Amino acid sequence: MTHVLTRGAYALPGTSLAFKTGDWRSTEKPLHHHRKAPCHDACPAGEDQQAWLARLQEGNLEGAWLELVKANPLPAITGRVCPHPCETACNRKHMDQPIAIHNVERWLGDEAISRGWQYPVTTPSAEAPKVAVVGAGPGGLSAAYHLVRLGYRATVFEALPEIGGLLRAAIPMTRLPRSIIDAEGERLLALPGLELLLRQKLGRDVSLAELRSEFAAVVLAPGCQKSRPWDVAGAVPQHLHEGLHLLKEWIDHGWLPEARRVVVHGGGNTAVDLCRIMKRNGAEEVHLLTASGLPGPDTDPDDVLNVVPRELEEALEEGIQIHPHVTINRLIMKGSVFTGVEMVSLRKLPGQDGRKRRIPFEGTERLLHCDMVVPSIGEIVDPEGIEEILGQHKYLHPKDDTCELGDHPGVYVLGDARGDRGTVAAAIGDGRMAALTIQRRINGAEPLPPDTREVATFDKLNIEYFDRTERAPLRKLPVAERNDESEIELDLTGPEAAAEARRCMSCGNCLACDNCWTLCPDNAVIKTVEMASDGTHYVFDYDFCKGCGLCSAECPCGFIDMVPEDTVLPAATT
Amino acid sequence: MTDTSNATRLAELRLKHGRPPASPAEPSAPPRDKDLRKSQPRFRGLEAGHRACQGCGEALATRLVMESAGPDVMIANATGCLEVFTTPWPESAWRVPWIHSLFENAAAVAAGMESAMKAKGHRTKVLAFGGDGGTYDIGFQSLSGMLERYHNVLYVCYDNEAYMNTGIQRSSSTPHAASTTTSPSGKARMGKRHLKKDLLSIIAAHHIPYAASASVAYPTDIRRKVRHAMETEGPTFIVIHSPCPLGWGHDGSVTIEVARKAVQCGLFPLVELERGEVCNVMPIRQPQPVSEYLKLQSRFRHLFNDKDPRALEERQHLQALADHNITLFNLRGDQADPMDTAGMDTVRRGGPVH
């Protein structure tokens, strides 16, 4: 072949690859950065909602449930009773409405029960260390589950003839049908390596010393079984019924004292549940007196009534009268007959030492006529069996989230008994942390350090890439049809749950949307596998990346950071 | 050919392309190429290593067009940034046949290539690429001729609104009031005195089968328009709004945001024309004020000088031009549309929605 010399010239295709434009980068390079989604960060149970919603977006229902039960083995229960701080934290609230994570979790938990998905647990070896768990409430069950997951054997001691603890004793059937506790609990208890001993009360049937000598570790999850003492300036009406006790009586026996006008004093879920039950069972007026405020734009978040928001909404729908920022000043007695209370406005204000205290305001006293007052101001730990470690305290105080009881090695305390927890989800999270700490201790390691990864805040996202969509509707029984048995909130349908999952913006984690791959002018983002969805299939080719930062600016999820050249981000840990 | 030689040939092809063997008797392919770049699920018509600036809108637009146009194409390229940054001798970033001749004759060269292909009985589609200088101004005559002679050519104009390659001189595509080196803002004028040429209407007047405007901010839309043009027999034309970080004075990381704002404010309407008639527009879900677009770029910085009364006047002028586009093309739409400015770039797990 002869070459004809002309003034033209040619180059071979794609030869520009010999020229590495990567050395044009002057300051920064793009790097994938797994941040914590705000829902994950806010979850007391340690669930990664973003991760399981991502599996749902892929249409992998069982995968989503398996991702969920990595942290929380009781989603059908928490999906009904949790105050869902995840939804409060959801970045979507800045755009339209938060994702209905709570309802999707419940739907997923119910699916798992009806389809019989298996917990990801293998049979522990016969030589695996045994751990004692005291209490079969949500915290104890969670600890036992996580211990078995980590390859240990767990023995659960429960004083009552049934499992569930507070779930069964104090949460009305309208919020949590007993069939759900039975279904989810029994599936859990059927796990290999998990043994349940009912009617075994600490201090009566077993002693703490025995447990400590026979087991590799002891997890205490007794909850709070004793009502906090209540009186008004030393006075207590005759026939006083304490809130939690009354609720238990009603749940176990269906018994309620008769009263026309009732005052409930307290500001928690028990108080509100009780108000609603009294109202439904014939009380004409039910008043809730609380020192906290109602949620609203002007209310300090620390000062808001500690009640699941939708429960509060339903209580108002049902006609409960709530008196915020008041306390009971005096009991009005006609001879020995109780006829009402005198209440006074108050606020929690910081004193000179900076600590908040309750300041009642003179001149705001007023009377409220009623036939019965029910205190529901919280519970404390029942000291039976744990006197030696409880001492004079109202609660057991482990040092931090590892749940280790400082002066008593091998003893772990979780859930309500800690005094600084208040939700089922927190107890479940403690159960997981206790199990992880036990594993580290048995292996002679220090407990896991807290997860300090950065949270993906709203400003990290590029919301141009998300459509505004309506949150899934929450269907409820109409007020007139509500009774003591039927669940008030209804389940999502499958398509609704799937649509809701698709609203997740995947904060801080790859959405596999191809934006970086599509928008790199320099072909410096390489996509390797078409079907992956976790970000591992996008690779930065630093030989050619000029460092313009377009991929970072156009990443919808805040997953790409522009960082100094020598930065190496730590690998994601969960 | 006999069946045996067919089978042998197929086995060879399977081996060559790394496909699994059809039977155990066949030799299996060597382990897959470890070069991740080569195993990507898209056609790399324009490779890395080109010398475009950081965040170049034109390089991105070209890459997107090449991906959708596919491997069986030939390109005639006018002089301009694209020609310069893709082919520094002796290298080329192109992986398809590509010819550069002069600034003014890309369309004429493409017409010749198309005729040659036709004469040889090949179906290879010919593309012509030019910047706004090579299209709106210098190559306009040959473009008009190519359209009139009805060559089966797709002409793509990468519109970065000035002669960027030679140092940011104004072109007839430069928008009104933009500052360039030959239309500087100062005492005499607030940037360019004249208006942006309405090229699409002139193209439409040629009565060609398909003409469209697109923007790098909407890659899905570019893909759809390029594929439609590729399937169309006869001359087709696409102008793609491609921000130039250097010439427009914005950071390379906001190229897409700038382009998106231009569409969302109405200054660069995305429309499709068939036989000279508007047949489709991308509606704007929530029109943005033009100042949102202008303030991102230093070529419009003089419009934000509060001490100069002309600044507000020119800003209002540009707003009026944008509003005129919105009225002219009925860009407001009736309701939220999955193909409007907000719906078009919506993503979900696994890629864009459309």
Side-chain angles (χ1 to χ4, degrees):
Chain A
M1 188 178 168
T2 51
H3 288 278
V4 181
L5 283 178
T6 66
R7 288 171 62 203
Y10 70 91
L12 293 172
T15 40
S16 62
L17 285 171
F19 188 83
K20 309 294 187 212
T21 50
D23 58 12
W24 291 15
R25 279 199 314 279
S26 45
T27 51
E28 293 177 319
K29 65 174 182 181
L31 200 61
H32 291 151
H33 185 176
H34 283 277
R35 289 186 168 82
K36 272 193 281 191
C39 47
H40 175 34
D41 183 53
C43 182
E47 273 179 41
D48 190 345
Q49 285 85 346
Q50 185 276 324
W52 60 257
L53 286 169
R55 298 290 88 73
L56 279 182
Q57 289 177 341
E58 291 164 12
N60 180 357
L61 308 188
E62 187 170 2
W65 180 79
L66 288 171
E67 186 70 47
L68 203 170
V69 298
K70 275 185 190 172
N72 173 7
L74 304 168
I77 290 171
T78 50
R80 288 176 165 84
V81 303
C82 189
H84 46 78
C86 51
E87 289 188 21
T88 313
C90 179
N91 272 334
R92 190 109 200 175
K93 69 170 177 278
H94 301 292
M95 216 171 95
D96 37 44
Q97 295 146 307
I99 294 162
I101 302 172
H102 183 65
N103 303 58
V104 180
E105 176 175 277
R106 165 178 163 174
W107 175 81
L108 200 53
D110 289 353
E111 282 293 294
I113 294 171
S114 68
R115 298 198 191 193
W117 291 331
Q118 293 303 307
Y119 284 99
V121 169
T122 49
T123 309
S125 72
E127 299 84 51
K130 273 178 97 170
V131 179
V133 179
V134 177
L141 291 176
S142 165
Y145 162 75
H146 282 287
L147 285 163
V148 175
R149 259 191 91 211
L150 296 172
Y152 303 108
R153 288 176 299 151
T155 305
V156 182
F157 297 84
E158 169 59 53
L160 297 175
E162 285 180 304
I163 60 154
L166 181 94
L167 297 171
R168 198 180 290 276
I171 296 184
M173 286 74 98
T174 51
R175 271 171 76 190
L176 179 62
R178 295 302 178 261
S179 59
I180 298 295
I181 307 179
D182 293 339
E184 208 149 57
E186 276 163 22
R187 267 158 59 77
L188 210 53
L189 292 169
L191 292 177
L194 207 159
E195 188 188 3
L196 173 69
L197 301 175
L198 293 170
R199 300 185 184 86
Q200 296 290 310
K201 185 166 166 49
L202 196 62
R204 187 186 71 195
D205 307 303
V206 283
S207 77
L208 186 58
E210 275 170 29
L211 295 181
R212 289 182 74 177
S213 67
E214 284 173 27
F215 291 90
V218 179
V219 177
L220 297 178
C224 290
Q225 307 294 344
K226 249 180 85 175
S227 285
R228 192 184 268 275
W230 180 89
D231 60 62
V232 177
V236 186
Q238 272 185 326
H239 313 300
L240 180 74
H241 299 285
E242 277 158 340
L244 186 64
H245 178 73
L246 203 56
L247 195 58
K248 285 181 180 173
E249 285 281 300
W250 177 76
I251 286 170
D252 288 348
H253 312 297
W255 180 84
L256 279 177
E258 282 194 17
R260 218 159 47 80
R261 295 153 66 94
V262 182
V263 162
V264 177
H265 185 207
N269 282 309
T270 306
V272 173
D273 284 338
L274 200 58
C275 285
R276 295 174 65 187
I277 290 165
M278 301 287 279
K279 177 84 181 170
R280 235 179 272 135
N281 284 278
E284 284 168 24
E285 277 178 35
V286 180
H287 298 267
L288 178 69
L289 270 53
T290 168
S292 307
L294 290 173
D298 301 330
T299 320
D300 177 7
D302 291 343
D303 189 31
V304 176
L305 205 60
N306 183 19
V307 174
V308 180
R310 49 185 89 181
E311 300 289 328
L312 185 62
E313 196 181 295
E314 288 164 15
L316 291 168
E317 278 172 14
E318 290 166 15
I320 308 300
Q321 298 182 47
I322 299 180
H323 304 263
H325 292 134
V326 295
T327 190
I328 298 179
N329 209 25
R330 198 159 61 86
L331 299 178
I332 313 290
M333 311 291 284
K334 202 180 241 174
S336 65
V337 180
F338 170 78
T339 63
V341 295
E342 175 187 301
M343 55 182 182
V344 63
S345 296
L346 89 166
R347 287 288 169 132
K348 287 179 230 168
L349 297 170
Q352 287 200 327
D353 58 356
R355 291 178 59 177
K356 287 195 172 176
R357 60 198 72 196
R358 293 169 175 199
I359 315 280
F361 299 122
E362 199 185 337
T364 59
E365 301 85 353
R366 64 257 193 208
L367 295 195
L368 190 60
H369 295 286
C370 56
D371 330 320
M372 188 169 79
V373 60
V374 183
S376 178
I377 53 164
E379 291 78 34
I380 55 174
V381 172
D382 179 0
E384 191 179 351
I386 50 170
E387 296 87 347
E388 50 174 317
I389 56 172
L390 185 63
Q392 293 304 307
H393 298 291
K394 288 191 173 68
Y395 303 102
L396 294 159
H397 294 285
K399 54 183 183 182
D400 51 24
D401 286 350
T402 59
C403 299
E404 287 184 301
L405 202 59
D407 302 334
H408 304 276
V411 179
Y412 299 79
V413 179
L414 53 87
D416 284 353
R418 297 180 53 140
D420 56 353
R421 297 287 195 254
T423 59
V424 172
I428 290 172
D430 279 346
R432 183 174 60 93
M433 289 307 293
L436 286 170
T437 313
I438 289 169
Q439 182 195 33
R440 306 276 293 189
R441 288 296 185 200
I442 287 178
N443 295 332
E446 283 299 302
L448 279 173
D451 180 1
T452 52
R453 282 177 303 151
E454 201 183 322
V455 178
T457 46
F458 186 63
D459 59 296
K460 295 274 186 295
L461 309 179
N462 187 338
I463 57 157
E464 288 288 345
Y465 291 101
F466 299 107
D467 243 345
R468 310 298 188 267
T469 45
E470 285 289 312
R471 178 183 158 102
L474 172 63
R475 282 182 299 274
K476 289 191 273 194
L477 275 190
V479 176
E481 288 175 30
R482 291 183 196 171
N483 56 31
D484 293 336
E485 295 293 331
S486 314
E487 203 171 1
I488 291 176
E489 290 179 9
L490 307 177
D491 216 345
L492 294 178
T493 64
E496 279 170 350
E500 199 57 23
R502 278 196 296 275
R503 294 180 68 227
C504 175
M505 303 195 287
S506 195
C507 307
N509 291 281
C510 186
L511 186 62
C513 68
D514 280 358
N515 263 10
C516 52
W517 188 58
T518 303
L519 295 176
C520 176
D522 301 308
N523 263 325
V525 178
I526 289 174
K527 175 163 147 174
T528 53
V529 193
E530 266 177 283
M531 299 310 290
S533 71
D534 53 359
T536 53
H537 57 318
Y538 301 118
V539 179
F540 294 115
D541 189 341
Y542 294 116
D543 279 351
F544 296 102
C545 170
K546 294 170 185 164
C548 67
L550 204 59
C551 50
S552 172
E554 298 304 319
C555 176
C557 318
F559 180 56
I560 302 176
D561 271 3
M562 295 304 290
V563 296
E565 283 297 322
D566 49 0
T567 312
V568 179
L569 287 174
T573 52
T574 41
Chain B
M1 252 198 289
T2 64
D3 281 359
T4 332
S5 61
N6 253 337
T8 319
R9 176 76 185 126
L10 284 172
E12 278 171 17
L13 284 172
R14 276 194 286 272
L15 188 64
K16 179 181 168 191
H17 295 290
R19 298 283 188 273
S23 72
E26 273 183 29
S28 55
R32 198 174 163 81
D33 202 324
K34 285 287 184 234
D35 189 346
L36 298 178
R37 181 168 289 278
K38 287 183 183 163
S39 48
Q40 294 185 78
R42 74 179 176 198
F43 172 61
R44 294 161 296 127
L46 182 71
E47 248 310 353
H50 62 68
R51 270 68 148 180
C53 306
Q54 296 170 326
C56 174
E58 187 175 32
L60 170 56
T62 314
R63 219 208 66 219
L64 290 167
V65 170
M66 290 309 296
E67 278 164 28
S68 308
D72 190 18
V73 292
M74 297 171 99
I75 291 161
N77 202 156
T79 305
C81 272
L82 181 63
E83 170 260 315
V84 170
F85 74 66
T86 55
T87 54
W89 173 258
E91 293 163 5
S92 170
W94 299 94
R95 294 181 65 241
V96 294
W98 178 93
I99 295 178
H100 165 244
S101 171
L102 296 170
F103 210 146
E104 65 274 27
N105 66 0
V109 170
M113 288 157 75
E114 188 256 351
S115 303
M117 285 297 108
K118 206 193 254 174
K120 295 186 80 174
H122 289 193
R123 300 279 301 158
T124 303
K125 182 100 177 181
V126 177
L127 270 56
F129 290 169
D132 52 291
T135 307
Y136 285 66
D137 301 349
I138 300 178
F140 182 66
Q141 175 270 124
S142 68
L143 169 61
S144 179
M146 185 274 282
L147 298 178
E148 181 266 329
R149 292 190 303 276
Y150 215 75
H151 289 283
N152 183 17
V153 169
L154 163 60
Y155 192 105
V156 184
C157 170
Y158 301 100
D159 186 1
N160 55 21
E161 306 192 324
Y163 289 85
M164 299 311 184
N165 176 37
T166 48
I168 320 168
Q169 289 86 15
R170 84 184 267 297
S171 75
S172 59
S173 166
T174 304
H176 178 65
S179 178
T180 67
T181 52
T182 48
S183 66
S185 67
K187 278 184 188 158
R189 300 234 175 271
M190 293 299 273
K192 185 183 169 185
R193 173 186 169 190
H194 310 95
L195 301 178
K196 183 180 170 96
K197 185 193 272 185
D198 182 8
L199 183 69
L200 218 47
S201 292
I202 308 174
I203 300 291
H206 289 77
H207 206 64
I208 60 170
Y210 184 71
S213 54
S215 165
V216 281
Y218 297 95
T220 316
D221 185 54
I222 293 184
R223 290 190 190 113
R224 186 177 64 78
K225 286 171 176 166
V226 170
R227 283 181 192 140
H228 184 77
M230 291 293 292
E231 287 163 9
T232 306
E233 193 74 21
T236 47
F237 178 89
I238 299 176
V239 53
I240 304 181
H241 201 226
S242 316
C244 170
L246 195 68
W248 295 13
H250 62 76
D251 195 79
S253 62
V254 297
T255 297
I256 298 297
E257 198 186 335
V258 168
R260 187 189 293 130
K261 288 264 160 48
V263 175
Q264 288 178 344
C265 75
L267 271 182
F268 198 90
L270 301 192
V271 303
E272 286 173 277
L273 303 128
E274 291 191 16
R275 300 291 180 193
E277 289 288 331
V278 176
C279 61
N280 194 13
V281 298
M282 185 189 286
I284 304 176
R285 189 176 295 182
Q286 280 173 321
Q288 306 273 318
V290 287
S291 54
E292 291 292 307
Y293 166 60
L294 304 176
K295 72 182 180 196
L296 294 172
Q297 312 163 53
S298 69
R299 64 174 176 158
F300 292 114
R301 189 165 44 200
H302 53 283
L303 301 185
F304 294 91
N305 176 3
D306 292 337
K307 294 186 184 118
D308 192 336
R310 297 175 302 168
L312 178 63
E313 186 186 321
E314 291 296 9
R315 249 171 34 226
Q316 293 293 347
H317 188 171
L318 287 163
Q319 182 66 58
L321 289 170
D323 293 344
H324 176 68
N325 283 337
I326 290 174
T327 319
L328 184 66
F329 294 108
N330 188 23
L331 296 179
R332 231 173 252 282
D334 304 324
Q335 57 197 343
D337 180 332
M339 305 291 247
D340 64 17
T341 49
M344 196 63 195
D345 56 3
T346 302
V347 295
R348 56 155 184 223
R349 188 163 297 278
V353 169
H354 305 291

